[in-house]
Amino acid sequence: MKTKMKTAALAALGAAAAAAIYLSPFGATAQNSMMMMAGVSDQVWDAFGGNQQAQKYSTATQITPENVKDLKRAWSIHTGDVSSGERSTTWGATPLFVNDTVYVGTPWYRIFAVEPDTGKTKWVYAAGGADGPPEGQGLKSRGVAYWAAALPEAGKPCQKMVYVGTQLGELHGVDADTGKKCAGFGNNGVVNVDAWSTKNKKFKLGLIQPPAVYKDTLILGWAGLDWVYKTENPGTVFGIDARTGALKWTFNIIPPDMENVTGTANVWASISVDPETGLAFLPTSSPSPNYYGGDRLKEMPYATATVAVKAETGEVVWSRQLVHHDIWDVDTNSAPTLLDIKKDGQVIPALIQATKMGYHFVLNRNTGEPVWPIEERPYPASDVPGEVAAKTQPYVPYPEPTIPDTTPPVSKFADIVSFGQCSRWKARLRDEGRYTPPSIRGSISWPATLGGVEWGGGAVDPTTNTYVVNSNRVPQIYTLVPRADADKLYGKNARGPGGYSAQEGSAYGFKLENFLNMWGMPCWVPPYGTLHSYDMNTGKQLWTKPFGQVQKWGFYMPESWGSITIGAPVITKSGLIFIGASMDSRVRAIDLKSGEVLWKHIVDAPAVSQPAVYTYKGKQYVVFAVGGNGILTPRLADQLVAFSL
């Protein structure tokens, strides 16, 4: 999926490594959104990124670095919406707290409304019907969105609504108080967004990511299939009426004259919105086929980019491409974080766009101009017949990238125990650091499609502009398979063994391999994952540390090795970072100033989402959706768990 559901190839990376190395901004929620920009809040958590600016910040101060050691589980529930095996669930939902209720969407496309202090279920809505059956194309959800009317009509239902999308391309709107369908939204509460996809249709539009909200407009992207086709559904973003579901506008990412030779370049990640200017910021992905661009050499400036559009109309205000002619599948994969930077005596309305390359593009959010310089640097040419790699790529030296420019050295331990397999394998591969093009002989991609910074993005304290982000350090091996060889080896199969995908219609199939030895051990030196803190008023990195632990059979590897992570941190005003994300099924509280772990707690699976932080009846809570992701480990769950003092 263009949601980074890379199925077996990526799933093997986390599992094998573990085994071997032991709302409306001007409605009821808008006051919170606008006050958050100024660092003041009524302590709700009303959007996927905490607020529509994707700041992931809470003004709550009850839980502090001094007392966080006393944090205990307040309540926990199990939704029942979990499955493993070929049709396994992936639950990356951010719980919302608004309307005196915790709302969360599940991978079976149900909405749970929960009492915030007890965990008692108020109501459940099943998008799949009364029994809530699983739906096609994989069971994946990042939760729900919330909207409230600026001027609610007394006595009428659906003045506050919760929205959940499905993999079948349906967006459901329900009354936030009762959980009943809003009859005036679409067709009896359901908008068939997939019906708007008519060009080169290869799949239904998966609505995994909840929409962003601006006034009475929902801004909605979609997910699709990676790696299978050359030509497929072209990337689109939709503006939808929050009350009625009527289509207000469509933004087309791929130029019309390129739609018959490529596809996707869609927005599968979250979207942020500036409530003051009404700009929505779209992180766009790579075009298809992902790893061979010989048939799509014409420039597509909106692909793998950040694009600012007017939330009410979809009109483009500015765009900045972050990767030219993307042949690495390094999608722009998280909503940019909005903040006001204080630099050289001026206040700059800014955004931070984190990327899989480990860069932080810091831009003026009104104009797209860099706050710190962006360099165009030369990178290696492709040696694949038909391919023409871009001669230069944007390079961001400052703030310091989360990963170095060159591939980590081979792990001596992994090499010795595999009788030199790691070093021999690496010697056969093309490896020239960042932007080494895919090749027929095999290339090390650094960083690979897994990132770098993954789809959660970073968090910021807007009162100090302290920014925190987690990042992976994972090389993978990209190999292009000439079509005749691919057809002989794999037939007409869209997917095949060893990480093969067809890229049907193009001159090459593609094979993704994890750089692991015969025992499943990573062939590169750790750390495998890190956590970073920056002062965004100066761009200076404050600290960086390995983050998370690898765990298997009850044993934990050294903290200095870190862990691959999926999911994002949040920050509280009291000086804490809360984060799940790592392979060891722990959630943690970390000191914002030092990066030291102050508290950790075992949960049922890796919490591959960002938590919610809220205050209710004078008490502060931190809530995690604990679902797991097969990319990290086979452990999956359906736990919603809250912690408090």
Side-chain angles (χ1 to χ4, degrees), residues 67 70 81 88 196 205 208 338 371 374 382 436 481 522 554 576 607 640:
N67 64 23
D70 299 322
D81 293 3
S88 63
W196 300 333
L205 303 187
I208 292 167
L338 312 189
V371 174
I374 299 170
S382 174
T436 300
V481 185
L576 288 171
L640 185 69

Side-chain angles (χ1 to χ4, degrees), residues 591-602:
D591 187 279
L592 180 61
K593 290 183 178 179
S594 67
E596 297 300 317
V597 175
L598 302 177
W599 169 87
K600 53 190 173 184
H601 193 284
I602 291 282

Side-chain angles (χ1 to χ4, degrees), residues 47 105 149 177 181 187 205 258 279-280 284 287 344 352 365 384 405 413 423 446 451 455 563 584 601 637 645:
D177 291 326
K181 284 184 177 180
N187 182 10
L205 303 187
M258 294 292 288
L279 292 182
T284 67
D344 300 329
I352 308 166
R365 66 177 180 267
V384 173
D405 291 339
F413 179 59
S423 56
W446 171 255
W455 52 260
S563 164
D584 59 346
H601 193 284
L645 293 174

Side-chain angles (χ1 to χ4, degrees), residues 327-342:
I327 51 176
W328 300 272
D329 193 30
V330 284
D331 306 334
T332 316
N333 62 345
S334 63
T337 300
L338 312 189
L339 73 167
D340 292 337
I341 287 177
K342 302 172 181 64

Side-chain angles (χ1 to χ4, degrees), residues 355-366:
T355 75
K356 288 185 178 184
M357 301 307 294
Y359 295 146
H360 291 101
F361 290 83
V362 184
L363 309 174
N364 184 310
R365 66 177 180 267
N366 293 338

